[in-house]
Amino acid sequence: FIVINSSTTFSSFLQGIVPTNLASAFEYRISNLLSANNVVLAKRMASASMWMTTISSVLSCAILYLSSNFIVNGVTNDETLQDMLLEIIPYIVLCDPLIAPSTAVSYLNRALAMYKRSAKVELLMTIFVTVPAATISTYVMSYNIEGVTAAAYLGYATMGIVIFYVYYNADWDRAVVKNKKMSGDYDEEISITDTNSYEQER
């Protein structure tokens, strides 16, 4: 439990402080733009979200790598755990920027009002990929925290493929209607085809 909790601390440092919060901020901004029927700007901000989330993840990983000893000493005083945590830092530094776009797309799917679909994907990937991989790497292959970390990133990578597919096949016009309904600003008399007006103005 201590090992898994320590690993989660690192994930929180990378994905919680800047990248995830940045992606979340874009989510709310894009959903507001969709509620205002501004599809063009929403799409531009969606692209910016992926780039900025990835860049912030790279910077966070650089900070982690440069201050790894200080952070590990703050997480635990146990020398064995410190050695284990220091061993997985290269994995985190390498893998985290690669899954940062998946983090951004996960929030973009929510901005597109695909909450149920996103939740189902994340749940299924956790149950059928992350948990089995962690079980095999820990109990069968006798890895310690490296196995847990590898399983987590394997789950993120698999989930990323699926949520990217969901995102690139999203119906933005339908997302406009859903966001308008959630904001209470939907007029049943307005045709959904009106949401294409911004595309036609370009």
Side-chain angles (χ1 to χ4, degrees):
F1 173 77
I2 295 175
V3 172
I4 294 176
N5 188 53
S6 299
S7 178
T8 304
T9 301
F10 281 115
S11 299
S12 299
F13 173 80
L14 292 172
Q15 292 291 342
I17 294 181
V18 178
T20 298
N21 290 335
L22 186 61
S24 179
F26 271 103
E27 173 198 349
Y28 285 103
R29 179 58 179 163
I30 291 170
S31 63
N32 288 336
L33 288 171
L34 292 175
S35 296
N37 209 16
N38 195 340
V39 179
V40 173
L41 185 55
K43 288 183 176 181
R44 291 175 182 172
M45 292 200 70
S47 298
S49 172
M50 286 185 275
W51 280 105
M52 292 185 67
T53 303
T54 302
I55 292 171
S56 65
S57 180
V58 171
L59 294 176
S60 296
C61 285
I63 294 173
L64 173 63
Y65 185 76
L66 295 174
S67 58
S68 56
N69 289 321
F70 173 77
I71 295 175
V72 168
N73 290 333
V75 171
T76 178
N77 293 323
D78 186 276
E79 293 184 0
T80 302
L81 288 179
Q82 288 178 349
D83 292 338
M84 293 169 64
L85 292 174
L86 288 172
E87 288 177 358
I88 68 167
I89 287 179
Y91 295 101
I92 297 176
V93 172
L94 176 64
C95 295
D96 218 76
L98 299 177
I99 66 167
S102 299
T103 302
V105 172
S106 178
Y107 280 91
L108 291 177
N109 285 339
R110 298 174 192 175
L112 292 168
M114 295 189 292
Y115 298 98
K116 291 182 179 180
R117 197 173 302 178
S118 297
K120 288 178 181 179
V121 170
E122 294 175 11
L123 179 61
L124 291 174
M125 292 303 104
T126 300
I127 294 175
F128 294 107
V129 179
T130 305
V131 173
T135 302
I136 293 172
S137 62
T138 303
Y139 294 102
V140 178
M141 304 181 68
S142 300
Y143 287 112
N144 45 42
I145 194 172
E146 293 98 333
V148 176
T149 305
Y153 282 115
L154 178 61
Y156 286 137
T158 308
M159 180 180 69
I161 295 173
V162 179
I163 62 176
F164 263 101
Y165 175 81
V166 172
Y167 171 73
Y168 282 113
N169 288 277
D171 187 340
W172 288 76
D173 292 335
R174 187 177 181 184
V176 169
V177 174
K178 287 185 176 181
N179 277 281
K180 280 181 171 291
K181 286 182 177 180
M182 287 188 290
S183 65
D185 189 33
Y186 180 69
D187 188 348
E188 295 289 347
E189 296 180 357
I190 298 178
S191 172
I192 190 172
T193 56
D194 290 341
T195 60
N196 295 322
S197 58
Y198 284 91
E199 295 285 352
Q200 296 171 356
E201 291 175 1
R202 289 190 299 173

